[in-house]
Amino acid sequence: MTKAPIRVANFSGALGDYIGAFADAIADETIDVAIGDYLAEMTMGRVAEGFCGAGKPQALAGYYADIFLRQITPELGRIAERGVKVVTNAGAFNPAGLATLIAREAAAQGLGLRVAYVEGDDLLGRVPALAAEGQLANLDDGAPIGPIADKLLAANAYLGGWGIAAALTQGADIVICGRVSDASLVLGPAAWWHGWAKDDWDALAGSVAAGHIIECGPQAMGGNFSGFAQLGAPTRLGFPIAEIAADGSAVITKRAGDGGVVTVDTVTAQLMYEIQGTHYLNPDVVLHIDSIALSQQGPDRVQVSGVRGDPAPDTTKVGCFYQHGWRAMIWGFATGPDWREKAGWLRVQMEAMTADLALDEFHFQPLGQPIADPVSEAEATVAIRIAAAAQSRSSLSKLLAGYASFGLGGIPGFQGDGAGPPQPRVHYWPGLVRQADLDHRVTFIDGPDMAVAMPPMAPFVAPAPAGPAPAAPTSETRAVLLGSLVHARSGDKGANANIGVWVQRPETWPWLRDTLDADRLAQLMGLDPSVKVERHDLPNINGLLFVLKGYFGTSGTGNIALDQIGKAAGEFLRARTIQVPMALAGGFETLEAVHDHGRP
């Protein structure tokens, strides 16, 4: 007999997400499992930064997301009463420590909750041996890890969801993970619920699709969505729910009283987020992004169907972090008339200091421009972002002190803000390790320790990215704001940015497909020639995916430029104008309208 769909509710998309979302999820009596993700690449990098310095790297192994302990403690009674399962990666670098504290708190409350934790991701102690075998090579360019192997603060493999499934099968109520893939938090419970085999590729891929869509919480509800204006500016967006059926198909929905919406576009936005091609690799299955069909089934209900999967790849990613010098940032300001000249003089003064400071990078970036005839000082002011990196902390301290020295001998209206002390600069290295060499294990606080068998695996060969777009037929055109034609979502993976673009109206899809190729995108965004752009076509969602190789330099975590992990790159692209055939231009925002924008 086919089991009813499992209802999986998200309560966290990243460390620092809305703390009350956990209690909201547990209060929902219709859900079966609550899952929370705390471990973005940036999060892990920032945590690692806090443990840089003499004698501190070893302490990183004791870190867990203590916010989750504060969230779950008052809800343990309701978890026990309702029988809802809780799965999270809040264990971070110390899942055993967090699980032990939760089990201790449950016992103190007289509750019979069983707590398990998943291990096997921590490879730091094995790095020398793995590097000697040629493993941990950079997944983007194949470079060996050897030159930085002795600098690593952490090295954590992305585990799959079968450890979670095994823990739930053995009666766990709460499963604490470290570094598992984000979608594994959903795949594990779905596989347990439906009793899937390790080679039920399409069903597993369907759960990965659902997991990817809900893993970032409010982003599936309209958060970071370029069509935000249709949301009505709610004070807080809610968190999504995935109803996953036995065949792996899913419905993405939400609680009736929560802010936000679930539409094909909000789901597409999250589906496009941080993917690197038409195939999405997870430790348990390879998901064909280009197989997914999305359809609106009713208010706040989007069906995800048609998903295909391939055998799991024989390697998985390892997130490695290491300190590479120091970074510092300060805000300067230029106010009133001649702001360009003021910013120019301040730049000359700052750059004159840099010659003697051995900086690795220096950025001086005026942001925006004053409004004509301003009615407040804020409207007359341009913020100037000044950021730098160096191997020497003292070099950056001198730069920050030097800025203050121009207060009496510089631009009129001189001011500054935000100059804290230099911080460690931590880079991210995405390595690869053979899954067969991992020791994936589940341990119960009150009992057994069990090994987790790997799924069937096969080497993955990435399909070639799409070639140049066909030449669009010549016709009379008009300049139109690209953002009035398309939605976009951008993000980071290691050193690469990705930008997903999809049409707002189906009739414009052939034009987008035939017009926006990799070279045109690079031109519109003014990319440095060192950034290689790949295009991947997703006609199933009327979209194009662009991967910008090396956009962040070495890594997003170590990037010190504006928009550190590329969250606004898609919105910058949408801000450009593009020539559109007159037959399509009607009803879209023209260049003339763009120039008319401003304060009333």
Side-chain angles (χ1 to χ4, degrees):
M1 181 177 178
T2 301
K3 201 169 185 181
I6 181 174
R7 281 177 56 89
V8 182
N10 176 280
F11 61 80
S12 176
L15 187 65
D17 213 342
Y18 173 49
I19 192 170
F22 183 78
D24 291 346
I26 299 304
D28 182 351
E29 296 185 356
T30 71
I31 70 166
D32 304 298
V33 180
I35 65 103
D37 179 12
Y38 293 80
L39 301 185
E41 290 175 6
M42 175 60 73
T43 299
M44 300 287 268
R46 286 288 182 262
V47 169
E49 282 182 6
F51 291 89
C52 292
K56 287 189 176 180
Q58 294 77 16
L60 182 61
Y63 175 85
Y64 54 81
D66 61 351
I67 186 174
F68 177 69
L69 186 61
R70 301 198 301 273
Q71 289 174 299
I72 196 173
T73 296
E75 302 297 330
L76 288 171
R78 187 150 48 173
I79 291 168
E81 177 185 353
R82 289 200 41 238
V84 64
K85 306 294 186 180
V86 178
V87 180
T88 179
N89 61 14
F93 299 105
N94 184 17
L98 179 57
T100 299
L101 291 174
I102 292 171
R104 187 178 301 163
E105 182 60 39
Q109 295 184 29
L111 303 172
L113 293 170
R114 299 194 71 201
V115 183
Y117 58 93
V118 176
E119 289 185 304
D121 60 304
D122 184 1
L123 302 181
L124 186 60
R126 297 175 58 191
V127 165
L130 292 170
E133 296 173 3
Q135 299 206 64
L136 304 179
N138 190 289
L139 68 80
D140 290 323
D141 59 18
I145 198 171
I148 64 164
D150 61 348
K151 300 179 181 180
L152 296 187
L153 301 168
N156 294 82
Y158 285 65
L159 301 179
W162 287 110
I164 297 168
L168 294 172
T169 299
Q170 295 299 316
D173 299 295
I174 300 165
V175 184
I176 305 299
C177 305
R179 179 72 279 177
V180 295
S181 79
D182 299 346
S184 294
L185 298 171
V186 173
L187 180 147
W192 156 71
W193 183 268
H194 291 299
W196 292 334
K198 287 187 170 69
D199 59 356
D200 284 337
W201 304 124
D202 291 349
L204 293 168
S207 70
V208 167
H212 179 58
I213 291 166
I214 73 168
E215 71 191 29
C216 290
Q219 285 196 168
M221 310 272 286
N224 281 314
F225 173 45
S226 56
F228 74 98
Q230 67 188 252
L231 303 179
T235 55
R236 184 175 297 283
L237 295 178
F239 286 67
I241 296 170
E243 301 172 352
I244 305 169
D247 64 355
S249 63
V251 171
I252 308 301
T253 186
K254 73 179 188 73
R255 288 181 287 275
D258 284 357
V261 298
V262 179
T263 68
V264 167
D265 279 330
T266 65
V267 169
T268 299
Q270 179 57 26
L271 190 62
M272 288 283 227
Y273 184 58
E274 294 185 337
I275 59 175
Q276 298 288 287
T278 58
H279 292 63
Y280 189 54
L281 276 64
N282 271 259
D284 298 317
V285 66
V286 176
L287 162 64
H288 291 243
I289 297 286
D290 54 3
S291 70
I292 297 172
L294 302 176
S295 59
Q296 196 80 39
Q297 297 296 300
D300 297 316
R301 292 184 66 82
V302 171
Q303 177 82 29
V304 183
S305 59
V307 183
R308 299 196 315 274
D310 283 339
D314 59 353
T315 59
T316 190
K317 184 164 67 173
V318 182
C320 303
F321 294 92
Y322 63 100
Q323 185 178 357
H324 184 71
W326 301 82
R327 59 180 176 85
M329 196 268 286
I330 188 173
W331 288 101
F333 301 94
T335 302
D338 305 318
W339 70 268
R340 287 187 177 87
E341 290 76 12
K342 292 170 183 173
W345 184 18
L346 183 58
R347 181 194 295 268
V348 168
Q349 290 180 312
M350 294 297 294
E351 289 181 345
M353 287 193 302
T354 65
D356 300 324
L357 296 180
L359 302 182
D360 295 336
E361 290 184 45
F362 176 76
H363 298 268
F364 186 99
Q365 299 165 303
L367 306 181
Q369 60 184 9
I371 289 175
D373 192 21
V375 297
S376 68
E377 184 175 328
E379 288 189 350
T381 299
V382 169
I384 303 171
R385 183 179 183 274
I386 304 169
Q391 294 303 302
S392 166
R393 184 175 185 175
S394 64
S395 291
L396 298 180
S397 295
K398 291 175 182 177
L399 182 74
L400 296 176
Y403 179 85
S405 73
F406 298 124
L408 303 180
I411 65 173
F414 178 95
Q415 54 177 311
D417 195 10
Q423 300 297 313
R425 187 186 193 190
V426 170
H427 277 323
Y428 176 73
W429 176 280
L432 287 173
V433 67
R434 290 189 296 265
Q435 291 212 66
D437 292 339
L438 299 178
D439 183 21
H440 192 170
R441 305 191 70 81
V442 173
T443 300
F444 280 79
I445 296 299
D446 63 353
D449 175 342
M450 68 188 83
V452 178
M454 293 293 176
M457 296 177 289
F460 174 75
V461 179
T474 302
S475 64
E476 186 178 359
T477 62
R478 189 175 187 183
V480 168
L481 183 72
L482 182 57
S484 65
L485 295 163
V486 303
H487 290 301
R489 169 61 63 80
S490 56
D492 67 304
K493 278 297 175 188
N496 306 330
N498 86 306
I499 302 178
V501 179
W502 69 102
V503 298
Q504 297 185 24
R505 303 180 187 176
E507 61 267 24
T508 60
W509 161 242
W511 169 84
L512 178 68
R513 178 197 62 208
D514 296 343
T515 303
L516 190 59
D517 62 9
D519 290 340
R520 183 70 175 123
L521 179 127
Q523 180 186 34
L524 287 169
M525 297 190 68
L527 298 180
D528 187 277
S530 64
V531 178
K532 178 183 177 183
V533 181
E534 293 180 354
R535 173 180 134 164
H536 301 270
D537 291 8
L538 295 168
N540 55 314
I541 53 176
N542 293 335
L544 303 173
L545 171 70
F546 296 91
V547 181
L548 284 54
K549 301 276 190 176
Y551 182 82
F552 300 116
T554 300
S555 68
T557 61
N559 179 33
I560 65 165
L562 179 68
D563 191 17
Q564 184 175 7
I565 54 174
K567 292 283 191 177
E571 291 304 290
F572 168 51
L573 176 64
R574 294 180 68 247
R576 298 304 311 272
T577 57
I578 194 166
Q579 294 293 324
V580 175
M582 291 296 293
L584 290 176
F588 293 113
E589 194 167 23
T590 63
L591 180 59
E592 292 84 357
V594 173
H595 286 167
D596 286 341
H597 282 176
R599 179 177 55 80

